[in-house]
Amino acid sequence: MLEGIEHVALAVSDLDVAIRHHREVWGLEVARRERVEDQGIEEATLPLGAAALQLIAPTSPASTVARFLERRGEGLHHVAYEVADVRAALERLRALGVALVDEEPRRGGGGDLVAFVHPRGNHGLLVELVQRSGDPSA
Amino acid sequence: MLEGIEHVALAVSDLDVAIRHHREVWGLEVARRERVEDQGIEEATLPLGAAALQLIAPTSPASTVARFLERRGEGLHHVAYEVADVRAALERLRALGVALVDEEPRRGGGGDLVAFVHPRGNHGLLVELVQRSGDPSA
């Protein structure tokens, strides 16, 4: 069902500061930077081997990432699993009774088709399913 | 400096329950299961593409993972970056003034040489550096 880890997302307060830190300390560079308005965030994608580290910062105090930062401070936010077919994955999860955040896929960063799975009932892990936009079944 | 994401670790209360969940829901299988006594944990490694999901559960109430679970509940615990040479990586981080948990590498699961970098000063992200035991420079 899962092709691999597409990215790991770190919630940060200031995107520029976090980008500079990851360049200077870890030698990671930004491949893509983009605002995702319906999530109320700006994200920077830093390739890391076959996957990526994604830095996400709130652009609105109402976004779930802003609330995450208030509650917990900066830290790991979610893991994205790559799937070939996000609709089929949601269907399977629904049949298993797994709690979903998104009942239908939506457009994420880079035009990928994405859907979030609720951490409740998944051992506290917020999962983003990602079907890459280059996928022929998209 | 970094070769890729080696694994993402999820702290869980009951390893057997979490393994069953990840098999049934995500189709992931355990490739290795082992107690790491000096961390006070038992870990299960579930390959996931080029990386792995690692489930970690405390074997002692004094372990840092037990304290993590008490404070935050189940959830993402750390990310492991693969490096070719963990000693060289620690040297570089020390020169940059990055706070380390381990000043010297130690043996982790699977005999890998590992060292943890403190989340303080790394945007709240606990990083494990992993030099795989099969690496010729080990």
Side-chain angles (χ1 to χ4, degrees), chain A residues 75-92:
Chain A
L76 283 170
H77 185 264
H78 69 266
V79 173
Y81 295 153
E82 187 177 350
V83 294
D85 184 333
V86 69
R87 281 194 180 81
L90 287 175
E91 198 62 41
R92 178 186 147 84

Side-chain angles (χ1 to χ4, degrees), chain B residues 59-136:
Chain B
T59 52
S60 148
S63 84
T64 57
V65 174
R67 293 204 301 273
F68 176 95
L69 290 169
E70 268 167 35
R71 211 169 54 239
R72 302 199 157 191
E74 294 185 314
L76 283 170
H77 185 265
H78 69 265
V79 173
Y81 295 153
E82 187 177 350
V83 294
D85 183 335
V86 69
R87 281 194 180 83
L90 287 176
E91 197 63 40
R92 178 187 146 84
L93 294 171
R94 205 177 285 119
L96 288 166
V98 174
L100 304 175
V101 175
D102 298 308
E103 293 291 334
E104 291 295 324
R106 47 180 164 140
R107 290 286 157 190
D112 292 340
L113 215 48
V114 308
F116 282 88
V117 178
H118 207 286
R120 163 171 48 89
N122 193 41
H123 293 274
L125 171 58
L126 175 63
V127 164
E128 180 180 8
L129 300 172
V130 176
Q131 176 183 336
R132 288 198 174 157
S133 57
D135 193 282

Side-chain angles (χ1 to χ4, degrees), chain B residues 22-41:
Chain B
H22 280 85
R23 181 184 301 119
E24 290 173 2
V25 171
W26 299 111
L28 300 177
E29 297 290 344
V30 176
R32 200 184 72 226
R33 179 171 175 159
E34 140 178 40
R35 290 170 77 98
V36 183
E37 297 296 349
D38 78 330
Q39 292 177 40
I41 61 163

Side-chain angles (χ1 to χ4, degrees), chain A residues 1-5 8 10-12 17-18 21-22 24-28 48-53 72 74-79 81 92-93 96 98 117 121-125 127 129, chain B residues 1-5 8 10-12 17-18 21-22 24-28 48-53 72 74-79 81 92-93 96 98 117 121-125 127 129:
Chain A
M1 173 181 186
L2 305 178
E3 314 268 317
I5 294 174
V8 175
L10 179 64
V12 301
V17 170
H21 170 82
H22 280 84
E24 291 174 1
V25 171
W26 300 110
L28 300 178
L48 183 40
L53 180 69
R72 303 197 155 192
E74 294 186 312
L76 283 170
H77 185 264
H78 69 266
V79 173
Y81 295 153
R92 178 186 147 84
L93 294 170
L96 288 166
V98 174
V117 179
N122 192 41
H123 292 274
L125 173 56
V127 163
L129 299 172
Chain B
M1 174 180 187
L2 305 179
E3 315 268 317
I5 294 175
V8 175
L10 179 64
V12 300
V17 170
H21 171 82
H22 280 85
E24 290 173 2
V25 171
W26 299 111
L28 300 177
L48 182 40
L53 181 68
R72 302 199 157 191
E74 294 185 314
L76 283 170
H77 185 265
H78 69 265
V79 173
Y81 295 153
R92 178 187 146 84
L93 294 171
L96 288 166
V98 174
V117 178
N122 193 41
H123 293 274
L125 171 58
V127 164
L129 300 172

